[in-house]
Amino acid sequence: MTYSVSLSKLLENIGATEGSKLSVDSNGKTYIGRLMPHHSFSGGDILILKLSSGYNIGIRIYADSEVKVLEPPAPVPKKEAPLEKKKGLPNIVLIGTGGTIASNADNRTGAVRPALSVSDLIEAVPEIRESANISARPFLSLFSENMNVEHWQELAEATAEEINNGADAVMILHGTDTMGYTAAALSFMLGDVPKPVVLVGAQRSPDRPSSDAPSNLIAATRFCAKGGAAGVFVVMHDTLEDDSFAVHIGTRVRKMHTSRRDAFKSINAAPIAFLDEEGKIKFTKKKRDPTTEKAVAKTKMERSVILLQFYPGMDPSLFEGIMMRSKGTVIVGTGLGHVSEEMIPLIKKACDNGSVVVVTSQCLGGMTSLHVYNTGRDMLSAGAISVKDMLPETAYVKLMWALANSKDAEEAKKLMMTPLAEEMGDRRTADV
Ligand code: ASP
């Protein structure tokens, strides 16, 4: 569906095309913005403008409304031929998976959809070529709520392949919603990866003036190029401004806000480094130096693992079937990791059945402990284990990995209790 015949005519008469800057006087109000294509969710006489805030607005056009063209559409940047590799600069491979960082407005709905190709994004942010030779590996184009275990496995394999083919670093464009899960999955699958592997995303799409996509991308590139740190990291805004960026350890990071640019926080660990707007990097702790070793992707995962949030009034009978069918359950308990007395017999039944039950905390901050209260002791006797200060989603990913990489439940439990990718500390080593 396009604009109504009368509105299309009006736009044609004044020479307005998609992207033209318009001033619209309608119903006693004036609006200024760029003309967007019509979408199928509103009437044909509703004109869609993208305001300078980045938001779209629909304005009903009446017979007496006045529409004027203020500026023609901004010129579309010319596609550059791939640049020659510059000597002396590190080679970074950018793997695209989609997400807001690689999105723009859908012509049909006006909603944000993953659409930009990785090369488009490289061309849109030419600054990233100043510190590295960047090449693109298109991989997926989806929002991260649609990522699944197979995607993590393929991504780990692609990352290892690029490193083994000579990449000095791999940067992964990813949706922010489940970036922490993917970062944790890559951390376990890639183990002591010999190069930097950096996930980066954006809270606001690149077609919005307030987008954090370019600044996050520049910071991530600088960290890959100059950080000299091997491991899996997430680089995102540290503050609301473009003046500080945090480098989070892949197993310790969570999206803590739906929309703020500084949504990503390290939990129970400080970010490993910060970058300022000039790209100066300050490490807060010891880093692992990159090596020339080969990257190895251990991607086996046990799929029969569930992540269960305990809540007051939880009815064990609703969860019996699923817990008994699962090889592993991560419970996100209250406080130190507790569940109600009613749930404990089910934990015992699942453990006696050979399942691994792992306890984390809804508090996120601080240690779990099943030794303090009777509830916790009863959970321990039932067979549950707690995993110190590990994030619930990290425990979920790790349990899938641990079960697939051990001969039995006992070995998997031991792996769960052993720090493998800085995913857990203890009271002595906790730095926040
Ligand atoms: N839903 C989007 C995603 O996770 C949000 C984003 O990218 O920021 O892919």
Side-chain angles (χ1 to χ4, degrees):
M1 185 185 178
T2 50
Y3 287 115
S4 65
V5 177
S6 55
L7 182 48
S8 302
K9 229 188 206 128
L10 186 154
L11 294 171
E12 199 184 311
N13 287 345
I14 60 168
T17 52
E18 192 183 320
S20 298
K21 189 171 185 183
L22 304 184
S23 141
V24 180
D25 287 323
S26 192
N27 216 9
K29 282 196 183 137
T30 303
Y31 307 88
I32 293 181
R34 297 267 172 196
L35 178 63
M36 295 291 288
H38 185 260
H39 62 64
S40 42
F41 295 145
S42 53
D45 55 351
I46 306 281
L47 189 117
I48 313 291
L49 282 191
K50 183 172 277 296
L51 304 179
S52 60
S53 63
Y55 289 103
N56 292 351
I57 184 172
I59 308 155
R60 188 174 294 281
I61 303 298
Y62 301 96
D64 61 349
S65 304
E66 212 187 316
V67 184
K68 278 186 292 194
V69 176
L70 301 178
E71 278 173 21
V76 181
K78 269 202 285 123
K79 290 236 173 207
E80 285 176 43
L83 284 188
E84 288 285 304
K85 280 196 175 176
K86 286 191 215 145
K87 276 216 178 105
L89 289 187
N91 297 315
I92 299 180
V93 176
L94 232 177
I95 302 184
T97 71
T100 298
I101 189 162
S103 305
N104 55 22
D106 186 314
N107 286 351
R108 192 177 56 83
T109 61
V112 172
R113 61 160 186 199
L116 289 181
S117 73
V118 190
S119 345
D120 285 341
L121 205 63
I122 296 175
E123 275 171 26
V125 191
E127 295 92 326
I128 62 175
R129 287 171 163 163
E130 284 164 17
S131 43
N133 293 312
I134 312 267
S135 52
R137 175 168 175 153
F139 183 69
L140 290 169
S141 179
L142 43 75
F143 282 128
S144 72
E145 51 272 33
N146 300 312
M147 290 292 280
N148 59 34
V149 178
E150 281 82 34
H151 293 137
W152 298 340
Q153 290 167 319
E154 285 163 22
L155 193 51
E157 270 151 23
T159 303
E161 190 181 295
E162 293 299 347
I163 291 172
N164 296 338
N165 284 342
D168 296 302
V170 172
M171 207 151 73
I172 298 168
L173 305 177
H174 200 286
T176 57
D177 287 1
T178 69
M179 182 138 63
Y181 290 77
T182 303
L186 294 180
S187 303
F188 296 115
M189 289 176 178
L190 294 170
D192 282 341
V193 63
K195 305 283 183 207
V197 175
V198 172
L199 291 98
V200 61
Q203 291 279 76
R204 298 179 195 163
S205 58
D207 58 345
R208 289 175 61 175
S210 63
S211 177
D212 49 339
S215 48
N216 282 340
L217 198 55
I218 293 168
T221 308
R222 286 171 169 166
F223 184 74
C224 282
K226 303 200 187 104
V232 177
F233 308 103
V234 166
V235 173
M236 293 288 288
H237 265 74
D238 173 41
T239 59
L240 293 180
E241 307 305 324
D242 288 342
D243 57 357
S244 179
F245 300 85
V247 183
H248 305 277
I249 291 164
T251 50
R252 293 289 206 167
V253 60
R254 181 176 258 215
K255 177 173 175 171
M256 298 293 282
H257 197 279
T258 55
S259 56
R260 285 169 64 117
R261 289 145 69 96
D262 62 348
F264 278 76
K265 301 289 174 214
S266 281
I267 308 290
N268 292 323
I272 184 169
F274 293 93
L275 284 95
D276 68 15
E277 60 211 309
E278 254 88 59
K280 227 164 81 220
I281 304 173
K282 236 197 200 141
F283 280 89
T284 64
K285 50 184 120 180
K286 220 170 141 285
K287 63 182 173 74
R288 198 160 55 77
D289 292 334
T291 68
T292 51
E293 299 283 300
K294 288 274 168 220
V296 181
K298 283 176 83 177
T299 62
K300 275 199 296 176
M301 295 291 258
E302 169 57 61
R303 300 299 302 274
S304 167
V305 172
I306 56 169
L307 178 58
L308 204 62
Q309 162 125 341
F310 169 75
Y311 51 87
M314 191 171 200
D315 176 354
S317 70
L318 294 178
F319 297 93
E320 176 155 357
I322 186 166
M323 270 184 75
M324 295 304 287
R325 278 200 309 278
S326 306
K327 296 251 167 50
T329 298
V330 173
I331 294 181
V332 193
T334 57
L336 293 171
H338 298 141
V339 296
S340 64
E341 284 169 6
E342 269 184 305
M343 286 295 291
I344 297 175
L346 177 54
I347 293 179
K348 178 156 173 38
K349 208 166 161 190
C351 292
D352 289 350
N353 198 36
S355 185
V356 176
V357 177
V358 173
V359 173
T360 61
S361 173
Q362 292 165 25
C363 295
L364 301 182
M367 295 280 163
T368 49
S369 173
L370 299 180
H371 295 279
V372 181
Y373 295 94
N374 280 348
T375 314
R377 288 166 195 255
D378 291 345
M379 289 170 72
L380 275 180
S381 317
I385 57 167
S386 71
V387 282
K388 299 186 175 177
D389 58 355
M390 204 187 300
L391 275 170
E393 55 271 37
T394 298
Y396 162 69
V397 169
K398 184 176 179 186
L399 186 53
M400 270 190 262
W401 189 87
L403 282 164
N405 287 284
S406 346
K407 61 176 184 323
D408 56 25
E410 280 317 303
E411 194 180 322
K413 278 198 221 170
K414 275 197 198 113
L415 275 180
M416 287 307 291
M417 307 291 295
T418 313
L420 301 176
E422 298 184 56
E423 71 279 18
M424 62 187 193
D426 54 35
R427 267 189 201 88
R428 283 174 300 113
T429 57
D431 49 14
V432 283

